[in-house]
Amino acid sequence: MPISRYYKLGFFPTPLHRLSRLSERYNDYNIFIKRDDQSGLAMGGNKVRKLEYLVQDAIDKGCDSLITYGAAQSNHCRQTAAAAAQTGLKCHLLLHGVQPDEHNGNLLLDKILGANIYWTEENVEELTLQEVFEMVKQSGQKPYMIPLGGSNEIGCLGYVRSILEFKQQLFDEMLDMDYIVFASCSGGTHAGMLVGKALYNLSTEIVGISIAKDEVGRSPLSLQIIDIANKASSLLNLEKRFNSNDVILEGGYDSAGYGVITKQELDALNLLAQQEGIVLDPVYTARAFAGFVDLMDKKRFPKGSNIVFWHTGGTPAIFHYASQLIKLHYLR
Ligand SMILES: *Cc1c(COP(=O)(O)O)cnc(C)c1O
């Protein structure tokens, strides 16, 4: 599968710019941001790059509908619904849990974008992805299955290509970048960046901040990243194979659990919003940004480093967490 074969869904290159007030505050470092929150597809985010490859693959295989799953506030599901709308495919989303009374944030957008929504705990027996797949097939459609977070060797090609885009921006701006820091969760973004780094000879270190702690019975995130990266590498006919030495994953910030908002996330949200006027999302990017700030406080990066925080989006979710955020705000 060539890297040049994808369905154009987003607006690229996304902006890369310096954070001057934050760089003044953390004056050992020169801090930048890469704005994948501005990538398009119903309010932006990192799933656009993956969907450009997944949607192309669905069309190449003659499919007429997309099926995927995630949390009720999944950014991936929202962007899949938008991609389906834009390309005239149907969209089926299996969301975790029961249907809530209130539809807000990403869930509201899923509805507006016309997705068919199923809930895992609608019945006594948990509804599975395979059952949704069979149901959709029985209705006469030809569904294409997209994994959690769009994270497989095909989706991750979007982040392989992002490194070419990033290198070009560095060249145009005559910049060197020492580190990329970002939120890593289902592994596709991380794996794609690693393959892109190898393919395009990028010297920048790629530092993922783990968002969801590893669970018993599931392969650890670092192994998932290596697996996706190796499959993508062979898909692209590259020699390069990856092992655990290639993966930098900071695991110290995910202990509260996925989607649990604490003071750590609120402080990070407030910091970037009040220093730079940029809004993070509470689940992924605020947690990653909190980790990034902590690593700077601990002098994890050599003095004088150029560091880019890669904003992976998630903006609509902030409205779902409004009351929790405000409660935390007044607790201080
Ligand atoms: C999905 C998502 C991530 C994590 O990307 P993965 O490729 O799943 O690791 C990070 N940030 C946001 C906002 C996301 O929606």
Side-chain angles (χ1 to χ4, degrees):
M1 183 163 210
I3 195 91
S4 57
R5 182 148 182 83
Y6 63 93
Y7 196 109
K8 193 173 167 358
L9 296 169
F11 304 115
F12 300 112
T14 56
L16 170 69
H17 61 94
R18 187 163 181 269
L19 299 176
S20 53
R21 294 192 66 220
L22 203 73
S23 299
E24 227 167 83
R25 186 172 168 138
Y26 293 91
N27 58 17
D28 281 348
Y29 303 117
N30 212 356
I31 306 169
F32 297 78
I33 193 163
K34 172 80 169 150
R35 302 297 299 276
D36 278 11
D37 60 319
Q38 306 283 314
S39 58
L41 274 191
M43 302 192 179
N46 66 337
K47 304 310 179 305
V48 182
R49 293 187 190 271
K50 301 175 181 184
L51 285 161
E52 292 199 318
Y53 286 87
L54 293 161
V55 164
Q56 184 64 57
D57 191 43
I59 292 170
D60 287 347
K61 293 192 163 118
C63 297
D64 59 7
S65 51
L66 306 176
I67 297 185
T68 196
Y69 68 111
Q73 283 298 324
S74 165
N75 299 303
H76 164 63
C77 289
R78 178 246 315 165
Q79 297 212 287
T80 301
Q86 187 171 331
T87 53
L89 300 170
K90 294 186 183 62
C91 181
H92 303 273
L93 302 176
L94 177 63
L95 302 182
H96 194 79
V98 290
Q99 181 176 319
D101 296 333
E102 207 181 331
H103 281 50
N104 56 21
N106 283 305
L107 180 55
L108 172 65
L109 296 178
D110 295 343
K111 277 279 176 201
I112 291 174
L113 292 162
N116 300 288
I117 298 175
Y118 313 83
W119 295 92
T120 55
E121 286 166 31
E122 223 153 52
N123 300 308
V124 191
E125 293 273 316
E126 187 162 316
L127 185 64
T128 65
L129 201 60
Q130 195 54 40
E131 285 168 336
V132 175
F133 188 81
E134 292 305 327
M135 230 154 48
V136 172
K137 238 168 67 179
Q138 304 246 301
S139 77
Q141 291 173 30
K142 194 164 179 218
Y144 181 86
M145 189 87 96
I146 297 179
L148 188 73
S151 287
N152 61 10
E153 61 274 27
I154 295 169
C156 101
L157 296 182
Y159 272 90
V160 177
R161 204 174 88 248
S162 80
I163 295 299
L164 185 61
E165 170 186 313
F166 179 64
K167 261 199 94 165
Q168 185 64 46
Q169 284 178 313
L170 295 183
F171 180 82
D172 291 346
E173 304 283 327
M174 291 191 283
L175 264 175
D176 279 321
M177 202 63 73
D178 300 299
Y179 297 94
I180 293 171
V181 179
F182 69 102
S184 190
C185 193
S186 66
T189 302
H190 205 147
M193 285 183 180
L194 289 179
V195 177
K197 175 178 157 76
L199 178 57
Y200 302 117
N201 282 314
L202 183 77
S203 59
T204 313
E205 290 284 5
I206 292 166
V207 180
I209 310 279
S210 166
I211 298 305
K213 55 185 171 200
D214 287 330
E215 281 169 30
V216 204
R218 198 185 60 189
S219 122
L221 177 57
S222 56
L223 294 186
Q224 294 180 48
I225 293 166
I226 293 165
D227 182 53
I228 299 168
N230 283 333
K231 285 178 177 153
S233 200
S234 59
L235 194 65
L236 292 169
N237 294 318
L238 304 176
E239 302 273 305
K240 171 84 183 168
R241 289 300 173 266
F242 298 85
N243 61 48
S244 55
N245 295 325
D246 297 304
V247 181
I248 306 173
L249 193 60
E250 298 286 344
Y253 308 99
D254 58 10
S255 57
Y258 177 84
V260 179
I261 315 302
T262 68
K263 192 172 165 302
Q264 169 184 272
E265 286 74 37
L266 179 70
D267 288 346
L269 263 170
N270 286 346
L271 175 64
L272 191 64
Q274 292 167 25
Q275 289 285 310
E276 299 284 350
I278 296 171
V279 180
L280 297 165
D281 85 289
V283 177
Y284 296 92
T285 51
R287 181 164 286 182
F289 198 76
F292 172 40
V293 166
D294 186 59
L295 293 173
M296 286 197 289
D297 282 337
K298 290 178 173 156
K299 315 277 182 213
R300 154 75 166 74
F301 312 104
K303 195 175 162 126
S305 295
N306 288 350
I307 310 175
V308 62
F309 181 79
W310 201 304
H311 191 329
T312 45
T315 315
I318 198 167
F319 301 107
H320 172 76
Y321 292 97
S323 59
Q324 287 173 57
L325 288 167
I326 290 299
K327 228 178 269 165
L328 283 167
H329 189 82
Y330 284 111
L331 270 179
R332 317 149 137 321

